[in-house]
Amino acid sequence: MAGAGISTPSGIPDFRSPGSGFYDNLQQYDLPYAEAIFEIEFFHRNPNPFFALAKELYPGNYQPNLTHYFVSLLHKKGQLLRMYTQNIDGLERLAGVPPEMLVEAHGTFATATCTSCLRKYDGEDLRPEVMSGKVPQCPTCKGVVKPDIVFFGEELPRHFFKYLADFPLADLLIIMGTSLEVEPFASLAGAVRSSVPRLLINRDLVGPFVWGQRTNDVVQLGDVVGGIKTLVDALGWTPELEALMAAGNQKPQDREEGWDDINY
Ligand code: OAD
């Protein structure tokens, strides 16, 4: 299970870290409260703040880091049952985790839907408008086309419910870079069998690691990259991970700007 904390080493802010988190940096939008940027009712009234964020997060702007490649390595070794991610940055796919191994619980920019006529689009169809700071319009009905990101007030994708089959089969649950504040995702942490070890790699203690630790729980507090490096070293996988990253990093980088260059 993963959240925004696995992508901060790639340069993308998380949501709730005080000061640096996305929700502390939305003052210019005069939002009633920070989460409104992901609320479907607010989006229907004013889609502009969301599309400023979408422009930044659109696939191609950022590169995966060691954490994403670790998940990819788990898959290559036949050890990954599934990755449940809350992230919408697409970095798991870029690191080589196949889409069928991923449950992108809060959706993806890979596809989009017209909010009026429900026509489906490929995320790439929207790229020119999103990148030029426009709100994408449906060529058919002129409705607003919204990337298939799950907003507060919307249902999670149907494949989220794969957890009902997956979690009872797991023999280890790794939880990385998430505050476990958002339901129903957060409750997945309790969906593994009670004898199954749960490993939290995060800057701080979160969710059941605060209020409901189990005897087999293990916590590695600190930076997620450092925590994963320690784990990978202990497994003797460091050379393979480095090779995987080196191969991935040879892919062309489309963009060199950072978050600081965002132009609202
Ligand atoms: P949060 O911002 O709530 O939590 C990120 C967690 O990662 C925090 O516990 C941080 O301390 C930790 N963290 C950040 N950087 C780290 C690092 N380098 N190493 C270790 N830990 C680090 O993000 P999420 O839990 O992903 O919803 O938030 C869940 C959902 O809330 C998001 O999916 C988003 C938001 O509203 C939607 O997009 C619909």
Side-chain angles (χ1 to χ4, degrees), residues 4 8 15-16 23 86 106 150 178-179 202-204 223-224:
T8 59
F15 292 93
R16 294 180 181 79
Y23 289 153
Q86 296 163 98
H106 292 168
V150 179
T178 174
S179 60
N202 207 48
R203 262 194 202 129
D204 31 44
D223 180 59
V224 70

Side-chain angles (χ1 to χ4, degrees), residues 108-244:
T108 169
F109 283 106
T111 55
T113 307
C114 172
T115 51
S116 290
C117 72
L118 305 184
R119 200 168 148 199
K120 289 279 176 198
Y121 290 93
D122 193 287
E124 284 307 304
D125 299 341
L126 275 58
R127 180 184 291 277
E129 278 170 290
V130 172
M131 288 304 152
S132 59
K134 293 185 190 139
V135 172
Q137 265 196 350
C138 176
T140 313
C141 77
K142 306 290 174 221
V144 173
V145 181
K146 173 182 157 293
D148 290 338
I149 302 302
V150 179
F151 279 40
F152 294 115
E154 290 191 307
E155 283 182 20
L156 268 62
R158 215 178 316 145
H159 63 241
F160 174 74
F161 296 94
K162 276 185 187 157
Y163 86 84
L164 291 167
D166 283 344
F167 274 64
L169 294 177
D171 52 19
L172 171 66
L173 175 63
I174 304 177
I175 303 174
M176 327 184 268
T178 174
S179 60
L180 290 181
E181 292 239 346
V182 175
E183 294 290 356
F185 189 92
S187 288
L188 294 183
V192 286
R193 286 168 291 133
S194 56
S195 59
V196 168
R198 301 184 299 186
L199 167 60
L200 174 72
I201 306 180
N202 207 48
R203 262 194 202 129
D204 31 44
L205 282 179
V206 293
F209 294 86
V210 177
W211 47 258
Q213 279 229 16
R214 297 177 177 177
T215 45
N216 288 335
D217 285 349
V218 179
V219 173
Q220 172 82 31
L221 286 186
D223 180 59
V224 70
V225 169
I228 294 291
K229 272 189 181 163
T230 305
L231 176 60
V232 169
D233 248 359
L235 290 163
W237 292 358
T238 301
E240 284 165 278
L241 183 60
E242 284 173 354
L244 196 60

